[in-house]
Amino acid sequence: MIFLQTFLHSIKLPSKKATFWLNRIGMDITVIYMFLLLFIVSMPSLVDRLTSAEGISAELNIFFLFIYFFIFYYLPMTVLVFIMISVIAYIGTGIAKLMNRKLRFAILWKMTAFTTTIPFLLYTVLALLFKVNDSYLGLFFIYSFAFLVAIISIYPKRRKKN
């Protein structure tokens, strides 16, 4: 149930209510949510490999095909996505300091992770319907970065010390 609520609130980003609700989500839920979301994003590639009539995919046993897919597609994609989320969140900490907002890296990491929901689902739908190159996922991080800046502006400014 928490994942459904998280999904619904992440679609509503960058609204103030959704931002503050997602801010209260634990990092463990966020990471599991990202693993589930990335599994959904990898489905078109898995379907493509399962239905392929040529190449290494056609010659492998179904069990080994799943292992091959997991090791050589899902895990590297997950690592790259987590690195990109971390880079965007790190840049976001600098932007938060410039905007005089009191935000930590962990909060910005969670918010960046949640902003990827819409682009990743859009990619999944398009990849199921058309042949889409995986490099287009990189374009979606521009979307996440823009939303992160909008989310940073929602948080109140730091109080001035007297």
Coordinates of all heavy atoms in Angstrom, one line a residue, residues 48-113:
D48 N 11.8 -8.2 -25.5 CA 12.6 -8.2 -26.7 C 13.5 -9.4 -26.7 O 13.7 -10.1 -27.8 CB 13.4 -6.9 -26.9 CG 14.0 -6.8 -28.2 OD1 13.4 -7.1 -29.3 OD2 15.2 -6.4 -28.3
R49 N 14.2 -9.6 -25.6 CA 15.1 -10.8 -25.6 C 14.4 -12.1 -25.6 O 14.9 -13.1 -26.2 CB 16.0 -10.7 -24.3 CG 17.1 -9.6 -24.5 CD 18.1 -9.6 -23.4 NE 19.3 -8.8 -23.7 CZ 19.3 -7.5 -23.7 NH1 18.1 -6.8 -23.6 NH2 20.4 -6.8 -23.9
L50 N 13.3 -12.2 -25.0 CA 12.5 -13.4 -24.9 C 11.9 -13.8 -26.3 O 11.8 -14.9 -26.7 CB 11.4 -13.3 -23.9 CG 11.8 -13.4 -22.4 CD1 10.6 -13.1 -21.5 CD2 12.5 -14.7 -22.1
T51 N 11.6 -12.8 -27.1 CA 11.0 -13.0 -28.4 C 12.0 -13.0 -29.5 O 11.6 -13.2 -30.7 CB 9.9 -11.9 -28.7 OG1 10.4 -10.6 -28.6 CG2 8.7 -12.1 -27.6
S52 N 13.2 -12.8 -29.2 CA 14.2 -12.7 -30.3 C 14.5 -14.1 -30.9 O 14.6 -15.1 -30.2 CB 15.6 -12.2 -29.7 OG 16.6 -12.2 -30.7
A53 N 14.5 -14.1 -32.2 CA 14.7 -15.4 -32.9 C 16.2 -15.6 -33.4 O 16.5 -16.6 -33.9 CB 13.8 -15.5 -34.1
E54 N 17.0 -14.6 -33.1 CA 18.4 -14.7 -33.5 C 19.3 -14.2 -32.4 O 18.9 -13.5 -31.5 CB 18.6 -13.9 -34.8 CG 18.2 -12.5 -34.7 CD 18.2 -11.8 -36.1 OE1 17.8 -12.4 -37.1 OE2 18.7 -10.7 -36.1
G55 N 20.6 -14.5 -32.5 CA 21.6 -14.0 -31.6 C 21.7 -14.9 -30.4 O 21.1 -16.0 -30.3
I56 N 22.4 -14.4 -29.4 CA 22.6 -15.3 -28.2 C 21.3 -15.5 -27.4 O 21.2 -16.6 -26.8 CB 23.7 -14.6 -27.3 CG1 24.2 -15.6 -26.2 CG2 23.1 -13.4 -26.6 CD1 25.4 -15.2 -25.5
S57 N 20.4 -14.6 -27.5 CA 19.1 -14.8 -26.7 C 18.3 -16.0 -27.2 O 17.6 -16.7 -26.5 CB 18.2 -13.6 -26.8 OG 18.9 -12.5 -26.3
A58 N 18.4 -16.3 -28.5 CA 17.6 -17.4 -29.1 C 18.2 -18.7 -28.7 O 17.5 -19.7 -28.7 CB 17.6 -17.2 -30.6
E59 N 19.5 -18.7 -28.4 CA 20.2 -20.0 -28.2 C 20.2 -20.4 -26.7 O 20.5 -21.5 -26.4 CB 21.6 -19.9 -28.7 CG 21.7 -19.7 -30.2 CD 23.1 -19.4 -30.7 OE1 24.0 -19.6 -29.9 OE2 23.3 -19.0 -31.8
L60 N 19.9 -19.5 -25.8 CA 19.9 -19.7 -24.4 C 18.7 -20.4 -23.9 O 17.6 -20.1 -24.3 CB 20.2 -18.4 -23.6 CG 21.6 -17.8 -23.6 CD1 21.6 -16.5 -22.9 CD2 22.6 -18.8 -23.0
N61 N 18.9 -21.2 -22.9 CA 17.7 -21.8 -22.1 C 17.0 -20.6 -21.4 O 17.7 -19.6 -21.0 CB 18.3 -22.8 -21.1 CG 17.2 -23.4 -20.3 OD1 16.2 -22.9 -20.0 ND2 17.5 -24.7 -19.9
I62 N 15.7 -20.7 -21.2 CA 15.0 -19.6 -20.6 C 15.5 -19.2 -19.2 O 15.6 -18.0 -18.9 CB 13.5 -19.9 -20.5 CG1 12.6 -18.7 -20.1 CG2 13.2 -21.1 -19.5 CD1 12.2 -17.9 -21.3
F63 N 15.9 -20.2 -18.4 CA 16.5 -19.9 -17.1 C 17.8 -19.1 -17.2 O 18.0 -18.1 -16.5 CB 16.8 -21.2 -16.3 CG 17.4 -21.0 -15.0 CD1 16.7 -20.5 -13.9 CD2 18.8 -21.3 -14.8 CE1 17.3 -20.3 -12.7 CE2 19.4 -21.1 -13.6 CZ 18.7 -20.6 -12.5
F64 N 18.7 -19.5 -18.1 CA 19.9 -18.8 -18.3 C 19.7 -17.4 -19.0 O 20.4 -16.5 -18.7 CB 20.9 -19.6 -19.1 CG 21.4 -20.8 -18.4 CD1 21.1 -22.1 -18.8 CD2 22.1 -20.6 -17.2 CE1 21.6 -23.2 -18.1 CE2 22.6 -21.7 -16.5 CZ 22.3 -23.0 -16.9
L65 N 18.6 -17.3 -19.8 CA 18.3 -16.0 -20.4 C 17.9 -15.0 -19.3 O 18.3 -13.8 -19.3 CB 17.2 -16.2 -21.4 CG 16.7 -14.9 -22.1 CD1 17.9 -14.4 -23.0 CD2 15.5 -15.2 -23.0
F66 N 17.1 -15.4 -18.3 CA 16.8 -14.5 -17.2 C 18.0 -14.1 -16.4 O 18.2 -13.0 -16.0 CB 15.8 -15.2 -16.3 CG 14.4 -15.1 -16.8 CD1 13.7 -16.2 -17.2 CD2 13.7 -13.9 -16.9 CE1 12.4 -16.2 -17.7 CE2 12.4 -13.8 -17.3 CZ 11.8 -14.9 -17.7
I67 N 18.9 -15.1 -16.1 CA 20.2 -14.8 -15.4 C 21.0 -13.8 -16.2 O 21.5 -12.8 -15.7 CB 20.9 -16.1 -15.1 CG1 20.2 -16.9 -14.0 CG2 22.4 -15.7 -14.6 CD1 20.8 -18.2 -13.8
Y68 N 21.2 -14.1 -17.5 CA 21.9 -13.2 -18.4 C 21.3 -11.8 -18.4 O 22.0 -10.8 -18.4 CB 21.9 -13.8 -19.8 CG 22.5 -13.0 -20.9 CD1 23.9 -13.0 -21.1 CD2 21.7 -12.2 -21.7 CE1 24.5 -12.2 -22.1 CE2 22.3 -11.4 -22.7 CZ 23.7 -11.4 -22.9 OH 24.3 -10.6 -23.8
F69 N 20.0 -11.7 -18.5 CA 19.3 -10.4 -18.5 C 19.6 -9.7 -17.2 O 19.9 -8.5 -17.2 CB 17.8 -10.6 -18.7 CG 17.0 -9.4 -18.6 CD1 17.0 -8.5 -19.7 CD2 16.3 -9.1 -17.5 CE1 16.3 -7.3 -19.6 CE2 15.6 -7.9 -17.4 CZ 15.6 -7.0 -18.4
F70 N 19.5 -10.4 -16.1 CA 19.6 -9.7 -14.8 C 21.1 -9.2 -14.7 O 21.3 -8.1 -14.3 CB 19.3 -10.7 -13.7 CG 19.4 -10.1 -12.3 CD1 18.5 -9.3 -11.8 CD2 20.5 -10.5 -11.5 CE1 18.6 -8.7 -10.6 CE2 20.7 -9.9 -10.3 CZ 19.7 -9.0 -9.8
I71 N 22.1 -10.0 -15.0 CA 23.5 -9.6 -14.8 C 23.9 -8.6 -15.8 O 24.6 -7.6 -15.5 CB 24.4 -10.9 -14.9 CG1 24.1 -11.8 -13.7 CG2 25.8 -10.5 -15.0 CD1 24.8 -13.1 -13.8
F72 N 23.5 -8.7 -17.1 CA 24.1 -7.8 -18.1 C 23.2 -6.7 -18.5 O 23.6 -5.9 -19.4 CB 24.5 -8.6 -19.3 CG 25.6 -9.6 -19.1 CD1 25.4 -10.9 -19.0 CD2 26.9 -9.1 -18.8 CE1 26.5 -11.8 -18.7 CE2 28.0 -9.9 -18.5 CZ 27.8 -11.3 -18.5
Y73 N 21.9 -6.6 -18.0 CA 21.1 -5.5 -18.4 C 20.5 -4.8 -17.1 O 20.8 -3.6 -16.9 CB 19.9 -6.0 -19.3 CG 19.1 -4.8 -19.7 CD1 19.5 -4.0 -20.8 CD2 17.9 -4.4 -19.1 CE1 18.8 -2.9 -21.2 CE2 17.2 -3.3 -19.5 CZ 17.6 -2.6 -20.6 OH 16.9 -1.5 -21.0
Y74 N 19.8 -5.5 -16.3 CA 19.2 -4.9 -15.1 C 20.2 -4.3 -14.1 O 20.0 -3.2 -13.7 CB 18.2 -5.9 -14.4 CG 17.5 -5.3 -13.2 CD1 16.4 -4.5 -13.4 CD2 17.9 -5.6 -12.0 CE1 15.8 -3.9 -12.3 CE2 17.3 -5.1 -10.9 CZ 16.2 -4.2 -11.0 OH 15.6 -3.7 -10.0
L75 N 21.2 -5.1 -13.7 CA 22.1 -4.6 -12.7 C 22.9 -3.4 -13.3 O 23.0 -2.4 -12.5 CB 23.1 -5.7 -12.3 CG 22.4 -6.7 -11.3 CD1 23.4 -7.8 -10.9 CD2 21.9 -6.0 -10.0
P76 N 23.5 -3.4 -14.5 CA 24.2 -2.2 -14.9 C 23.3 -1.0 -15.1 O 23.7 0.1 -14.7 CB 24.8 -2.7 -16.3 CG 24.8 -4.1 -16.2 CD 23.7 -4.6 -15.4
M77 N 22.1 -1.2 -15.5 CA 21.1 -0.1 -15.7 C 20.8 0.5 -14.3 O 20.8 1.7 -14.1 CB 19.8 -0.5 -16.3 CG 18.8 0.6 -16.5 SD 17.2 0.1 -17.1 CE 16.6 -0.9 -15.8
T78 N 20.6 -0.4 -13.3 CA 20.3 0.1 -12.0 C 21.5 0.9 -11.4 O 21.3 2.0 -10.8 CB 20.0 -1.1 -11.0 OG1 18.9 -1.8 -11.6 CG2 19.7 -0.7 -9.7
V79 N 22.7 0.4 -11.6 CA 23.9 1.1 -11.1 C 24.0 2.5 -11.7 O 24.2 3.5 -11.1 CB 25.2 0.2 -11.3 CG1 26.4 1.0 -11.0 CG2 25.1 -1.0 -10.4
L80 N 23.8 2.5 -13.0 CA 23.9 3.8 -13.8 C 22.9 4.8 -13.3 O 23.1 6.0 -13.1 CB 23.9 3.6 -15.3 CG 25.1 3.0 -15.9 CD1 24.9 2.6 -17.4 CD2 26.3 3.9 -15.8
V81 N 21.6 4.3 -13.1 CA 20.5 5.2 -12.7 C 20.8 5.7 -11.3 O 20.7 6.9 -11.0 CB 19.2 4.5 -12.8 CG1 18.1 5.2 -12.0 CG2 18.8 4.2 -14.2
F82 N 21.3 4.8 -10.4 CA 21.6 5.3 -9.0 C 22.7 6.3 -9.0 O 22.7 7.3 -8.3 CB 21.9 4.1 -8.1 CG 20.7 3.5 -7.6 CD1 19.5 3.2 -8.4 CD2 20.6 3.1 -6.2 CE1 18.4 2.6 -7.9 CE2 19.5 2.5 -5.7 CZ 18.4 2.2 -6.5
I83 N 23.7 6.1 -9.9 CA 24.8 7.1 -10.0 C 24.3 8.4 -10.5 O 24.7 9.5 -10.0 CB 26.0 6.5 -10.9 CG1 26.7 5.4 -10.1 CG2 26.9 7.6 -11.3 CD1 27.7 4.6 -11.0
M84 N 23.5 8.4 -11.5 CA 22.9 9.6 -12.1 C 22.0 10.3 -11.1 O 22.1 11.6 -11.0 CB 22.2 9.3 -13.4 CG 23.1 9.0 -14.6 SD 24.3 10.2 -14.9 CE 23.4 11.6 -15.3
I85 N 21.2 9.6 -10.3 CA 20.4 10.2 -9.3 C 21.3 10.9 -8.3 O 21.1 12.0 -7.8 CB 19.5 9.2 -8.7 CG1 18.4 8.8 -9.6 CG2 18.9 9.7 -7.4 CD1 17.5 7.7 -9.2
S86 N 22.4 10.2 -7.9 CA 23.3 10.8 -6.9 C 24.0 12.1 -7.5 O 24.2 13.0 -6.7 CB 24.4 9.8 -6.5 OG 23.8 8.6 -5.9
V87 N 24.4 12.0 -8.7 CA 25.0 13.2 -9.3 C 24.0 14.4 -9.4 O 24.4 15.5 -9.0 CB 25.5 12.9 -10.8 CG1 25.9 14.2 -11.5 CG2 26.7 11.9 -10.7
I88 N 22.8 14.1 -9.8 CA 21.8 15.2 -9.8 C 21.5 15.7 -8.4 O 21.4 16.9 -8.2 CB 20.5 14.7 -10.5 CG1 20.8 14.4 -12.0 CG2 19.4 15.7 -10.3 CD1 19.6 13.7 -12.7
A89 N 21.4 14.8 -7.4 CA 21.2 15.3 -6.0 C 22.4 16.1 -5.5 O 22.2 17.1 -4.8 CB 20.9 14.1 -5.1
Y90 N 23.6 15.7 -5.9 CA 24.8 16.4 -5.5 C 24.8 17.8 -6.0 O 25.1 18.8 -5.4 CB 26.1 15.7 -5.8 CG 27.3 16.4 -5.4 CD1 27.7 16.3 -4.0 CD2 28.1 17.0 -6.3 CE1 28.8 16.9 -3.6 CE2 29.3 17.7 -5.8 CZ 29.6 17.6 -4.5 OH 30.7 18.2 -4.1
I91 N 24.5 17.9 -7.3 CA 24.3 19.3 -8.0 C 23.2 20.1 -7.3 O 23.3 21.3 -7.1 CB 24.1 19.1 -9.5 CG1 25.3 18.5 -10.1 CG2 23.8 20.5 -10.1 CD1 25.1 18.1 -11.6
G92 N 22.1 19.3 -6.9 CA 21.0 20.0 -6.2 C 21.4 20.6 -4.9 O 20.9 21.6 -4.5
T93 N 22.4 19.9 -4.2 CA 22.8 20.5 -2.9 C 23.5 21.9 -3.1 O 23.3 22.8 -2.3 CB 23.8 19.6 -2.1 OG1 24.9 19.3 -3.0 CG2 23.1 18.3 -1.7
G94 N 24.2 22.0 -4.2 CA 24.8 23.3 -4.5 C 23.8 24.3 -4.9 O 23.9 25.4 -4.5
I95 N 22.8 23.9 -5.6 CA 21.7 24.8 -6.0 C 20.9 25.2 -4.8 O 20.5 26.4 -4.6 CB 20.8 24.2 -7.1 CG1 21.6 24.0 -8.4 CG2 19.5 25.0 -7.3 CD1 20.8 23.2 -9.4
A96 N 20.7 24.3 -3.8 CA 20.0 24.6 -2.6 C 20.8 25.6 -1.8 O 20.2 26.5 -1.2 CB 19.7 23.3 -1.8
K97 N 22.1 25.5 -1.7 CA 22.9 26.5 -1.0 C 22.8 27.8 -1.7 O 22.7 28.8 -1.0 CB 24.3 26.0 -0.9 CG 24.5 24.9 0.1 CD 26.0 24.5 0.2 CE 26.1 23.3 1.2 NZ 27.4 22.8 1.3
L98 N 22.8 27.8 -3.0 CA 22.7 29.1 -3.8 C 21.4 29.8 -3.5 O 21.3 31.0 -3.5 CB 23.0 28.9 -5.2 CG 24.4 28.6 -5.7 CD1 24.4 28.3 -7.2 CD2 25.3 29.8 -5.4
M99 N 20.3 28.9 -3.4 CA 19.0 29.4 -3.2 C 18.7 29.7 -1.7 O 17.6 30.0 -1.3 CB 17.9 28.5 -3.8 CG 18.0 28.4 -5.3 SD 16.9 27.2 -6.0 CE 15.3 27.9 -5.7
N100 N 19.7 29.4 -0.9 CA 19.6 29.6 0.6 C 18.5 28.7 1.2 O 17.8 29.1 2.1 CB 19.4 31.1 0.9 CG 19.8 31.4 2.3 OD1 20.6 30.7 2.9 ND2 19.2 32.5 2.9
R101 N 18.5 27.5 0.8 CA 17.5 26.5 1.3 C 18.3 25.5 2.2 O 19.4 25.1 1.9 CB 16.8 25.7 0.2 CG 16.1 26.6 -0.8 CD 14.9 27.3 -0.1 NE 13.9 27.7 -1.0 CZ 13.8 28.9 -1.6 NH1 14.8 29.8 -1.4 NH2 12.8 29.2 -2.4
K102 N 17.6 25.0 3.2 CA 18.3 24.1 4.2 C 17.8 22.7 3.8 O 16.9 22.1 4.3 CB 17.8 24.4 5.6 CG 18.5 23.6 6.6 CD 18.1 24.0 8.0 CE 18.8 23.2 9.1 NZ 18.4 23.6 10.4
L103 N 18.6 22.1 2.8 CA 18.3 20.8 2.3 C 19.5 19.9 2.3 O 20.6 20.4 2.0 CB 17.7 20.8 0.9 CG 16.3 21.4 0.8 CD1 16.0 21.7 -0.7 CD2 15.3 20.5 1.4
R104 N 19.4 18.7 2.8 CA 20.5 17.7 2.8 C 20.5 16.9 1.5 O 19.5 16.8 0.9 CB 20.4 16.9 4.0 CG 20.6 17.6 5.3 CD 20.6 16.7 6.5 NE 19.9 15.4 6.4 CZ 18.6 15.2 6.8 NH1 18.0 16.2 7.4 NH2 18.1 14.0 6.6
F105 N 21.6 16.2 1.3 CA 21.8 15.4 0.1 C 20.7 14.2 0.1 O 20.2 13.9 -0.9 CB 23.2 14.8 0.1 CG 23.4 13.8 -1.0 CD1 23.7 14.2 -2.3 CD2 23.4 12.4 -0.7 CE1 23.9 13.3 -3.3 CE2 23.6 11.5 -1.7 CZ 23.9 11.9 -3.0
A106 N 20.5 13.6 1.3 CA 19.5 12.5 1.4 C 18.1 12.9 0.9 O 17.5 12.2 0.2 CB 19.5 11.9 2.8
I107 N 17.7 14.1 1.3 CA 16.4 14.6 0.9 C 16.3 14.8 -0.6 O 15.4 14.4 -1.3 CB 16.0 15.8 1.7 CG1 15.8 15.5 3.1 CG2 14.7 16.5 1.1 CD1 15.6 16.8 4.0
L108 N 17.4 15.4 -1.1 CA 17.4 15.7 -2.6 C 17.6 14.4 -3.4 O 17.0 14.3 -4.5 CB 18.6 16.6 -2.9 CG 18.4 18.0 -2.3 CD1 19.7 18.9 -2.5 CD2 17.2 18.7 -2.9
W109 N 18.2 13.4 -2.8 CA 18.4 12.1 -3.5 C 17.0 11.5 -3.6 O 16.6 11.0 -4.7 CB 19.3 11.2 -2.8 CG 19.8 10.0 -3.6 CD1 20.9 10.0 -4.3 CD2 19.1 8.8 -3.8 NE1 21.0 8.7 -4.9 CE2 19.9 8.0 -4.6 CE3 17.9 8.2 -3.3 CZ2 19.5 6.7 -5.0 CZ3 17.5 7.0 -3.7 CH2 18.3 6.2 -4.6
K110 N 16.2 11.5 -2.5 CA 14.9 10.9 -2.5 C 14.0 11.6 -3.5 O 13.3 11.0 -4.3 CB 14.2 11.0 -1.1 CG 14.7 9.9 -0.2 CD 13.9 9.8 1.0 CE 13.8 11.1 1.8 NZ 13.1 11.0 3.1
M111 N 14.0 12.9 -3.5 CA 13.2 13.7 -4.4 C 13.6 13.5 -5.9 O 12.7 13.3 -6.7 CB 13.3 15.2 -4.1 CG 12.6 15.6 -2.8 SD 10.9 15.1 -2.7 CE 10.8 14.2 -1.2
T112 N 14.9 13.4 -6.1 CA 15.3 13.1 -7.5 C 14.8 11.7 -8.0 O 14.4 11.5 -9.1 CB 16.8 13.2 -7.6 OG1 17.3 14.5 -7.2 CG2 17.3 13.0 -9.0
A113 N 14.9 10.8 -7.1 CA 14.5 9.4 -7.4 C 13.0 9.4 -7.7 O 12.5 8.7 -8.7 CB 14.8 8.5 -6.2

